[in-house]
């Protein structure tokens, strides 16, 4: 079994912390902007909705261009540019006044995040191989989501006390402060391999069952968790229990309960994500574990859609969040496995695009379905597509075992 390459543990931790620092400002906006939109110079809440989603749609057409650029400028240049741009944009959140300025900043954040995410994936791919990619991606996913936790928990608090500009300036400074980490660790990994074949030839190279399955998994897992769950859990709580939920210590608002339940995931990921990654690297193999977890996730999503006794429902939500940690980590590792022997930059570019499409389509299709059949139908639909995806992975595992036998 091949081990993680020399110096790669430090490089993976470094790029994870860089990503976390750059994510704090964006995560802060999801808490602070809906309540401080007038201070930001906006005229209505619908403008807030556009600003919080436009970066995802911007990323879709940009991802192929950034993948192409990485094959020419190298990982170090791309990550340095992303960190500088992120720091300046986050500071800009404290200076923007009016919808047009905010719209420009959020579109540029889409560029910056794609640069950073692609650079991180390419760094990690150079640090590992199929034997240990689960553990490495688990370490990366667990650490970088600390940025979401810090941004969400402290961003609203700082904005309430000293205003949103104070939070923006602070998080912008934190992002820029990671530049020494980039300069220290980015040179230890290779630049993205330049792929000289024509585009159609590269697409034919990646048209294999393993790569198609990995891309489909990235899209559907992102649609379920980044799309449906992240955007609608508070809506589901409000639909089933009203604007306030009675817990043992008192009533909690639907938005506060949803935020707390989702923040728990970012709190446990530094420990759980690497564990799931190592588990998938083990003798049982990634395919069986991924397939089984997808089926379990489908059952839990179906349970969350029901109006169960509150204690049982909360347990189902926590279980669902655990499967989100596991599936995101193992799905990333499966994509890395598929990219090891093929056009690496092309595969990871397509994977980033697939997850972005899933994250963007999840809320749109979910809320469209909710209008027709109610909030619970969003989770039931996500359960169905994850169940089907799980059967796809399990059937592949059974076929491989039969062929070996």
């Amino acid at each position: 079994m091949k081990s993680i390459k020399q110096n790669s543990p430090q490089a993976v931790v470094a790029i994870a912390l860089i990503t976390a620092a750059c994510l704090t400002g964006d995560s802060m906006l999801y808490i602070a902007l809906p309540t401080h939109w007038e201070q930001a110079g906006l005229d209505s809440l619908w403008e807030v909705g556009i600003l919080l989603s436009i970066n995802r749609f911007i990323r879709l057409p940009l991802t192929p261009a950034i993948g192409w650029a990485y094959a020419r400028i190298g990982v170090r240049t791309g990550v340095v540019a992303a960190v500088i741009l992120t720091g300046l944009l986050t500071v800009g959140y404290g200076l923007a006044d009016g919808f047009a300025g905010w719209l420009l900043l959020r579109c540029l954040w889409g560029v910056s995040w794609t640069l950073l995410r692609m650079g991180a994936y390419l760094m990690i791919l150079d640090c590992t191989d199929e034997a240990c990619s689960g553990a490495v991606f688990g370490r990366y996913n667990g650490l970088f989501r600390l940025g979401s936790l810090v941004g969400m928990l402290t961003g609203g608090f700082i904005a309430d006390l000293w205003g949103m500009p104070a939070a923006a300036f602070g998080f912008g400074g934190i992002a820029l402060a990671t530049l020494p980490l980039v300069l220290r660790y980015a040179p230890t990994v290779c630049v993205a391999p330049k792929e000289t074949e024509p585009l159609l030839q590269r697409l034919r190279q990646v048209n294999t069952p393993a790569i198609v399955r990995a891309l489909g998994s990235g899209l559907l897992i992102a649609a379920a968790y980044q799309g449906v769950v992240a955007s609608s859990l508070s809506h589901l709580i409000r639909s089933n229990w009203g604007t306030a939920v009675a817990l043992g210590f008192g009533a909690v608002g639907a938005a506060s309960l949803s935020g707390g339940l989702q923040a728990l995931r970012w709190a446990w990921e530094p420990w759980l994500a690497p564990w799931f990654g190592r588990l998938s690297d083990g003798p049982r193999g990634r395919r069986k574990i991924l397939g089984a977890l997808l089926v379990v996730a489908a059952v839990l999503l179906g349970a969350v859609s029901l109006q169960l006794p509150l204690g049982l429902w909360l347990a189902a939500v926590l279980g669902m969040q655990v499967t989100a940690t596991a599936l995101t980590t193992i799905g990333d590792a499966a994509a890395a496995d598929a990219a090891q022997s093929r056009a690496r930059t092309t595969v990871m570019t397509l994977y980033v695009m697939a997850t972005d499409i899933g994250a963007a389509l999840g809320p749109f299709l979910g809320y469209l379905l909710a209008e027709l059949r109610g909030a619970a139908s969003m989770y039931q639909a996500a359960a169905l597509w994850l169940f089907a995806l799980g059967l796809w992975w399990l059937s592949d595992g059974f076929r491989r075992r039969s062929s070996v036998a």
Side-chain angles (χ1 to χ4, degrees), residues 3 62 127:
S3 62
L62 281 176
C127 290

Side-chain angles (χ1 to χ4, degrees), residues 296-346:
V296 171
V299 172
L300 289 169
L301 278 163
V304 168
S305 74
L306 304 175
Q307 197 166 359
L308 302 171
L310 185 59
L312 189 58
W313 184 84
L314 289 172
V317 172
L318 292 177
M320 176 188 70
Q321 294 288 68
V322 171
T323 62
T325 296
L327 292 175
T328 301
T329 297
I330 301 175
D332 287 350
D337 294 346
Q340 289 293 339
S341 59
R342 292 284 174 172
R344 177 183 296 184
T345 305
T346 300

Side-chain angles (χ1 to χ4, degrees), residues 343-358:
R344 177 183 296 184
T345 305
T346 300
V347 171
M348 295 315 295
T349 298
L350 292 173
Y351 182 71
V352 170
M353 285 186 67
T355 56
D356 283 342
I357 290 170

Side-chain angles (χ1 to χ4, degrees), residues 25-26 28-29 33 40 42 50-52 54-56 58 62 84-113 164 168-169:
D26 176 69
M28 174 270 295
L29 290 185
L33 196 57
L42 302 178
I50 292 175
L51 293 174
L52 294 180
I54 188 64
N55 57 295
R56 286 180 172 178
I58 285 292
L62 281 176
I84 293 174
L85 183 58
T86 297
L88 296 177
L89 290 173
T90 307
V91 170
Y93 296 155
L95 302 173
D97 184 32
F99 180 72
W102 274 99
L103 187 65
L104 176 62
L105 290 174
R106 294 300 291 166
C107 289
L108 289 174
W109 163 247
V111 179
S112 179
W113 175 243
M164 202 163 65
F169 296 155

Side-chain angles (χ1 to χ4, degrees), residues 136-210:
V136 175
F137 270 101
R139 184 182 300 141
Y140 171 73
N141 285 340
L143 288 175
F144 98 78
R145 281 301 181 184
L146 288 174
S148 295
L149 180 66
V150 171
M152 287 183 172
L153 290 183
T154 65
F157 179 74
I158 295 173
D160 287 340
L161 281 182
W162 298 296
M164 202 163 65
F169 296 155
F171 290 141
I174 290 173
L176 291 172
T178 63
L179 273 174
L181 283 177
V182 182
L183 299 176
R184 168 66 178 86
Y185 287 103
T188 65
V189 296
C190 297
V191 299
K194 189 172 182 178
E195 296 167 358
T196 57
E197 299 90 347
L199 177 61
L200 288 177
Q201 184 176 340
R202 276 181 278 147
L203 291 177
R204 291 192 193 100
Q205 287 179 357
V206 302
N207 186 22
T208 67

Side-chain angles (χ1 to χ4, degrees), residues 329-398:
T329 297
I330 301 175
D332 287 350
D337 294 346
Q340 289 293 339
S341 59
R342 292 284 174 172
R344 177 183 296 184
T345 305
T346 300
V347 171
M348 295 315 295
T349 298
L350 292 173
Y351 182 71
V352 170
M353 285 186 67
T355 56
D356 283 342
I357 290 170
L361 285 181
F364 172 74
L365 295 177
Y367 275 104
L368 181 63
L369 190 59
E371 284 290 324
L372 299 174
R373 301 185 62 87
S377 64
M378 304 169 70
Y379 289 77
Q380 292 161 2
L384 285 174
W385 73 60
L386 290 187
F387 184 76
L389 182 63
L391 293 182
W392 191 13
W393 279 99
L394 289 173
S395 65
D396 177 68
F398 291 141

